[in-house]
């Protein structure tokens, strides 16, 4: 089967989007290795969207990518899509480079800061420039801006743009459930590691993770560190990514558990999830620590010295110059192709880095393929932080970031400066694809799905609906997606409705 292109038609613009020349095209007939094909494997604890667990090598998730439609004027309006994948017999060599590009993107992005950094590097390679918000912008230009270095907005302005034209936006999120290092990282108060002789870090659970899947993993650490620069008298942010197995959360030996405890495997998130960094061998042998607390401030005294020393060594700075950090743990096992026919991408953080990769590739292909020359709208991607904890932060999708960006861009282009009606028209002519992950029917837990609305893996895109408006799909947006799929020759759209006796997710 040859690869097909999913054409997106924005009703306001009356034009067709293709990945080769115009933004918002979603490739849909990729071979089974496509990074945003319906079946995607994921390691680790990443929200409560688990489909499969494989005991041999640790729990893994197979997820379907969804795109949720929403109007710019309503932050809660959404409709779900899923990219289609052909049968397993399909020859997939042509699409292996795409899958590997996705795997590389995910491996380079263990936290939101690295997601944004990786995306910015790729955007700058094709001519995007950073926009501070107060500079002039030009029709035909390509720009991006970030917030907190964990949220990214990038956009191109069609050369046929006129005031009042709409925005075509793909939204995704940069965060995934994980374990974050607590503000005071020192957990072991005894210098000899206490009864166990182990030096541990204090960590905090972020998001809704399947925390039992974090046991017995090779864990690295990543994020950003705030460093004092004495030469310039400033504080700098330095990115750090240690992809060596420096941390581990070991299971309790089976002999020390009762049969009831083994069956329940209940996880106390405060007591059971503290990772081991090292053994206090030096203190045990010498009878004391060489670490002197007398020269430290209060913040430094409450940090694990070995952690700070490691960070300083990696960054090439002095330990006393480290002022603060935001760090999280991640599984250092890299993404891989899996399945008999390489039909799966096995990776952590597919929710939602698969969608970040998809939207970024769509915008870049739009620019490289000459789509800006034929576009009359503004094509935009938005990668938000903090979706896993409700999106209500200053850098989440519930923040004013997009609304303010639309206003500033319209004003900079003359839409609204003289007549506010141009801004109102732009809002009415705009559309957002909120792209996230979702669930196909788990073969071992098929009863968890509503029997007439259970999406089948590799069965095509899916629209999510909920009468209580947890998803804001309505008749119009659902019909648009079905017609797009039909026009592109894709399999019939699948519909997802949650069981009445089960909880429902939301955007």
């Amino acid at each position: 089967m040859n690869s097909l292109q999913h054409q997106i038609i924005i009703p306001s613009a009356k034009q067709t989007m293709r990945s080769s020349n115009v933004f918002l095209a979603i490739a849909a007939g990729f071979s089974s290795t496509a990074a945003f094909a319906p079946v995607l494997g994921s390691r680790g604890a990443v929200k409560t969207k688990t489909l499969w667990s494989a005991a041999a090598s640790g729990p893994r998730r197979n997820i379907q990518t969804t795109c949720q439609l929403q109007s710019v004027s309503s932050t809660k309006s959404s409709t779900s899509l899923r990219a289609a994948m052909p049968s397993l017999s399909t020859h997939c060599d042509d699409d292996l480079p795409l899958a590997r590009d996705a795997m590389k993107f995910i491996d380079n992005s263990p936290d939101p800061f690295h997601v944004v950094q990786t995306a910015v590097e790729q955007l700058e390679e094709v001519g995007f420039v950073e926009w501070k918000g107060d500079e002039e912008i030009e029709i035909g230009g390509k720009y991006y801006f970030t917030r907190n270095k964990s949220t990214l907005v990038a956009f191109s302005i069609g050369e046929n743009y006129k005031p009042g034209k709409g925005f075509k936006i793909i939204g995704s999120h940069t965060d995934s459930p994980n374990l974050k290092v607590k503000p005071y990282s020192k957990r072991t108060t005894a210098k000899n590691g206490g009864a166990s002789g182990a030096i541990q870090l204090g960590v905090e659970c972020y998001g809704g993770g399947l925390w039992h899947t974090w046991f017995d993993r090779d864990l690295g650490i990543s994020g950003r560190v705030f460093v004092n620069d004495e030469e310039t008298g400033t504080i700098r942010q330095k990115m750090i990514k240690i992809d060596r197995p420096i941390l581990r959360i070991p299971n309790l030996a089976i002999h020390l558990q009762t049969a009831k405890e083994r069956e329940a495997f209940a996880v106390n998130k405060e007591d059971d999830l503290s990772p081991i960094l090292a053994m206090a061998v030096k203190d045990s042998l010498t009878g004391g620590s060489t670490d002197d607390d007398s020269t430290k401030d209060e913040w430094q005294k409450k940090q694990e010295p070995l952690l700070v020393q490691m960070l300083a060594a990696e960054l090439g700075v002095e330990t006393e110059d480290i002022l603060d950090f935001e760090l999280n743990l991640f599984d250092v096992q890299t993404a891989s192709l899996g399945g008999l026919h390489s039909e799966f991408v096995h990776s952590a953080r597919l929710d939602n880095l698969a969608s970040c990769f998809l939207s970024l590739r769509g915008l870049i292909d739009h620019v490289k393929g000459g789509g800006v020359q034929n576009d009359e709208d503004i094509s935009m991607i938005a990668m938000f932080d903090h979706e896993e904890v409700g999106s209500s932060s200053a850098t989440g999708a519930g923040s004013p970031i997009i609304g303010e960006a639309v206003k500033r861009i319209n004003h900079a282009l003359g839409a609204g400066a003289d007549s506010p009606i141009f801004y109102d028209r732009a809002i009415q002519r705009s559309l957002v694809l909120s792209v996230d992950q979702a669930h196909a029917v788990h073969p071992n837990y098929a009863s968890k799905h509503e029997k007439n609305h259970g999406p089948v893996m590799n069965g095509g895109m899916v629209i999510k609906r909920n009468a209580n408006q947890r998803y804001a799909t309505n008749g119009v947006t659902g019909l648009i997606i079905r017609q797009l799929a039909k026009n592109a020759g894709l399999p019939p759209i699948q519909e997802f409705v949650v069981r009445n006796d089960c909880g429902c997710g939301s955007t």
Side-chain angles (χ1 to χ4, degrees):
M1 181 184 294
N2 294 325
S3 293
L4 302 175
Q5 287 185 335
H6 173 196
Q7 302 175 352
I8 299 277
I9 302 176
I10 303 302
S12 62
K14 303 296 184 184
Q15 65 184 47
T16 301
M17 314 294 135
R18 295 184 182 273
S19 61
S20 59
N21 55 16
V22 187
F23 183 54
L24 283 184
I26 297 178
F30 291 118
S31 71
S32 50
T33 57
F36 32 87
V39 184
L40 298 174
S42 176
R43 285 185 292 275
V46 205
K47 213 170 180 177
T48 55
K49 297 179 178 178
T50 302
L51 285 182
W52 289 1
S53 292
S57 58
R60 305 198 177 202
R61 302 186 319 147
N62 291 317
I63 313 171
Q64 286 188 300
T65 300
T66 66
C67 304
Q68 300 172 342
L69 269 166
Q70 69 181 39
S71 166
V72 168
S73 58
S74 172
T75 60
K76 296 296 182 182
S77 175
S78 63
T79 300
S80 302
L81 295 174
R82 289 186 188 161
M85 186 172 76
S87 63
L88 300 184
S89 60
T90 301
H91 186 66
C92 61
D93 288 351
D94 291 342
D95 294 310
L96 285 175
L98 177 65
R100 292 195 172 102
D101 284 348
M103 292 157 56
K104 182 178 179 181
F105 178 87
I106 294 172
D107 289 341
N108 289 337
S109 308
D111 58 72
F113 307 115
H114 280 87
V115 175
V116 170
Q117 176 180 269
T118 302
V120 165
E121 291 172 354
Q122 295 188 25
L123 289 167
E124 291 182 343
E125 287 180 359
V126 294
F128 281 77
V129 296
E130 186 173 8
W131 184 49
K132 301 297 184 181
D134 52 359
E135 305 101 332
E136 293 185 359
I137 56 177
E138 301 177 351
I139 292 177
K142 305 179 291 292
Y143 307 92
Y144 74 87
F145 65 88
T146 66
R147 292 290 181 268
N148 190 45
K149 295 187 181 297
S150 64
T151 289
L152 167 72
V153 175
F155 60 96
S156 65
I157 305 169
E159 292 188 0
N160 296 325
Y161 172 84
K162 295 180 181 179
K165 290 296 183 180
F167 286 70
K168 307 187 295 266
I169 305 173
I170 295 180
S172 57
H173 64 89
T174 60
D175 62 321
S176 300
N178 68 87
L179 297 175
K180 293 185 177 293
V181 177
K182 289 181 176 180
Y184 295 153
S185 60
K186 183 186 291 185
R187 180 172 176 83
T188 309
T189 56
K191 291 190 175 183
N192 64 354
S196 68
I199 295 176
Q200 296 175 281
L201 296 184
V203 295
E204 183 177 6
C205 295
Y206 174 83
L210 294 174
W211 303 116
H212 66 274
T213 67
W214 284 77
F215 285 83
D216 298 326
R217 300 268 181 177
D218 294 335
L219 301 175
I221 199 166
S222 70
R224 64 178 175 180
V225 181
F226 296 91
V227 178
N228 180 43
D229 188 339
E230 292 186 354
E231 292 184 3
T232 62
T234 61
I235 296 175
R236 293 181 294 149
Q237 297 183 41
K238 285 180 169 283
M239 304 288 285
I240 191 164
K241 176 174 176 279
I242 303 176
D243 51 8
R244 306 188 305 275
I246 57 174
L247 294 160
R248 195 171 183 89
I249 305 170
N251 257 306
L252 181 64
I254 189 172
H255 311 88
L256 300 179
Q257 301 180 58
T258 66
K260 187 175 181 179
E261 287 174 332
R262 291 196 298 270
E263 181 179 355
F265 193 45
V267 177
N268 183 300
K269 293 187 287 186
E270 179 64 26
D271 297 333
D272 301 341
L273 288 175
S274 296
I276 296 175
L277 176 65
M279 296 299 291
V281 178
K282 185 172 183 179
D283 284 348
S284 298
L285 294 177
T286 63
S289 173
T290 59
D291 190 60
D292 183 10
D293 281 349
S294 62
T295 61
K296 297 180 179 180
D297 62 24
E298 289 304 311
W299 181 86
Q300 291 173 327
K301 290 178 182 178
K302 295 181 180 180
Q303 303 307 323
E304 172 50 53
L306 290 181
L307 173 64
V308 177
Q309 292 166 18
M310 178 182 65
L311 296 176
E314 291 286 332
L315 297 174
V317 300
E318 300 297 327
T319 56
E320 57 267 24
D321 289 331
I322 294 180
L323 304 179
D324 209 337
F325 47 67
E326 291 182 73
L327 303 172
N328 65 245
L329 280 54
F330 68 97
D331 187 350
V332 300
Q333 185 175 351
T334 57
S336 62
L337 296 174
L340 180 62
H341 301 280
S342 294
E343 61 263 36
F344 306 129
V345 171
H346 293 163
S347 177
R349 301 180 300 282
L350 284 169
D351 179 7
N352 186 238
L353 298 195
S355 301
C356 292
F357 170 79
L358 166 72
S359 62
L360 179 66
R361 175 60 65 91
L363 183 58
I364 290 175
D365 286 352
H366 167 61
V367 169
K368 293 174 64 176
V372 175
Q373 289 87 330
N374 301 317
D375 200 357
E376 59 182 24
D377 298 313
I378 294 173
S379 299
M380 177 182 287
I381 62 173
M383 301 181 186
F384 295 103
D385 197 359
H386 298 142
E387 188 273 348
E388 299 289 354
V389 291
S391 298
S392 59
S393 71
T395 54
S399 71
I401 289 177
I402 281 294
E404 291 177 355
V406 170
K407 286 183 179 179
R408 290 201 308 271
I409 294 170
N410 268 277
H411 185 82
L413 294 173
D418 300 321
S419 176
I421 195 172
F422 286 136
Y423 172 76
D424 295 337
R425 287 177 179 173
I427 293 297
Q428 295 301 318
R429 293 176 176 178
S430 297
L431 195 65
V432 173
L433 287 172
S434 182
V435 187
D436 207 330
Q437 313 303 112
H439 320 284
V441 175
H442 191 306
N444 296 339
Y445 302 92
S447 62
K448 292 295 184 179
H449 280 72
E450 203 279 337
K451 62 180 180 180
N452 292 321
H453 297 83
V456 178
M457 288 188 291
N458 307 338
M461 295 184 296
V462 176
I463 295 176
K464 286 185 176 179
R465 298 180 188 266
N466 182 259
N468 295 304
Q469 298 303 294
R470 299 289 290 178
Y471 308 117
T473 305
N474 58 33
V476 174
T477 57
L479 177 60
I480 290 173
I481 300 306
R482 291 206 310 273
Q483 287 300 117
L484 291 174
K486 182 178 180 181
N487 294 344
L490 299 179
I493 290 292
Q494 301 185 88
E495 296 274 357
F496 172 80
V497 174
V498 72
R499 286 172 55 100
N500 286 321
D501 56 358
C502 290
C504 181
S506 65
T507 301

